[in-house]
Amino acid sequence: MITSTHGAVRRPVAVLAASLVLVGCGGGAVTSSDQRPGTTSVNGSAGASPAPAPHVALSVAPQQLPGLGSKTWAKVPPKARQALVVTGRGKNSSTSTAVLYERTESGWHAGTSWPAHNALRGWTDHHRAGDLRSPIGVYALTDAGGLRPDPGTSLPYDHSGGFGIGGTGFEGEPLAGSFDYVVAINYNRQAGTTPLDWTRPLGAGRGGGTWVHVDHDGPTQGCVSLRKKHMKELLRALDPDRDPVIVMGDAAALRR
């Protein structure tokens, strides 16, 4: 047995074979060397001018997360006060950007925009194991872990050798260190467990082990990856009392 720790909290988890870890992360790694109101013209008398657009103070934060359409926004839990919005460059692109938003009484406030990677083949509404696409949707962020010690997160953190990884990625880049820090994305997993937990409520065929993890300068198998310094910033910022979620997908899908 190994033990996960978060402060005084200790929870036993099953030891998983390294092969299962590598197949995980959506699978995030390759086991072998292997991102108005305008006005209209006034049709009136000659010389008439368009009415001026109403003034909106720039200090007023949006009440809804920017870039989301009604369908996506409806999936964001009302209780969520933190949202990591990952916007893919295109449906078939592996390049995206990530912004951590914080909700206050005045609305949603954006943090810094971070470069990110997603799956090799882009995005999908119906993720399947091995399709090399990241799942589009809104998912809770409740658990973290990594090969390196807890950098100071408030999330439950599993510091374990089970996060070790080797080999190379799709572009020949080394994968070592990719799982130094991870945050589990609650797609097809049991919340409240280590990211290494292999429970798949939707069945193994729907994939799983989808994480936010350290970027290895290349596409993932299904995860989202951020540069190491940004992963540490994210871990330190996420607060379970603020019910954080990740909103992820290509830009067109998020606008639905």
Side-chain angles (χ1 to χ4, degrees):
M1 304 287 285
I2 61 176
T3 303
S4 302
T5 60
H6 173 232
V9 178
R10 300 176 66 85
R11 60 190 183 209
V13 296
V15 178
L16 299 176
S19 61
L20 291 183
V21 176
L22 300 183
V23 170
C25 197
V30 180
T31 60
S32 62
S33 36
D34 90 331
Q35 165 237 150
R36 150 175 102 178
T39 57
T40 57
S41 298
V42 177
N43 295 320
S45 58
S49 301
H55 174 73
V56 179
L58 295 179
S59 60
V60 177
Q63 298 302 307
Q64 174 177 318
L65 288 166
L68 306 190
S70 58
K71 180 179 177 180
T72 304
W73 173 245
K75 297 177 181 178
V76 178
K79 65 180 181 179
R81 294 296 180 270
Q82 288 182 317
L84 180 66
V85 178
V86 180
T87 307
R89 182 175 296 176
K91 183 173 179 60
N92 300 315
S93 172
S94 62
T95 303
S96 51
T97 58
V99 178
L100 180 63
Y101 287 84
E102 300 273 353
R103 189 173 187 175
T104 70
E105 292 183 356
S106 63
W108 289 96
H109 294 261
T112 304
S113 178
W114 297 325
H117 277 105
N118 52 274
L120 177 69
R121 295 177 181 168
W123 301 90
T124 180
D125 286 307
H126 192 77
H127 178 60
R128 303 290 301 181
D131 65 7
L132 299 182
R133 291 183 180 272
S134 297
I136 296 169
V138 180
Y139 309 101
L141 301 175
T142 57
D143 305 281
L147 186 63
R148 300 297 179 189
D150 182 352
T153 186
S154 296
L155 295 176
Y157 189 89
D158 178 18
H159 175 207
S160 168
F163 292 97
I165 186 174
T168 56
F170 293 108
E171 299 180 353
E173 74 280 10
L175 297 177
S178 299
F179 301 159
D180 280 359
Y181 305 105
V182 312
V183 178
I185 296 171
N186 286 7
Y187 166 80
N188 199 18
R189 73 176 298 269
Q190 182 64 51
T193 63
T194 171
L196 297 176
D197 183 64
W198 200 244
T199 304
R200 298 290 179 259
L202 301 177
R206 292 297 304 278
T210 307
W211 301 341
V212 185
H213 64 71
V214 176
D215 190 72
H216 45 77
D217 295 323
T220 72
Q221 286 196 10
C223 296
V224 170
S225 60
L226 303 174
R227 294 173 183 170
K228 180 174 285 189
K229 65 179 181 178
H230 299 149
M231 274 300 303
K232 294 170 78 171
E233 290 176 26
L234 175 66
L235 280 162
R236 291 169 181 154
L238 292 176
D239 181 353
D241 291 336
R242 296 180 65 77
D243 298 295
V245 298
I246 185 170
V247 182
M248 53 193 281
D250 59 280
L254 295 184
R255 286 195 299 268
R256 294 183 298 201

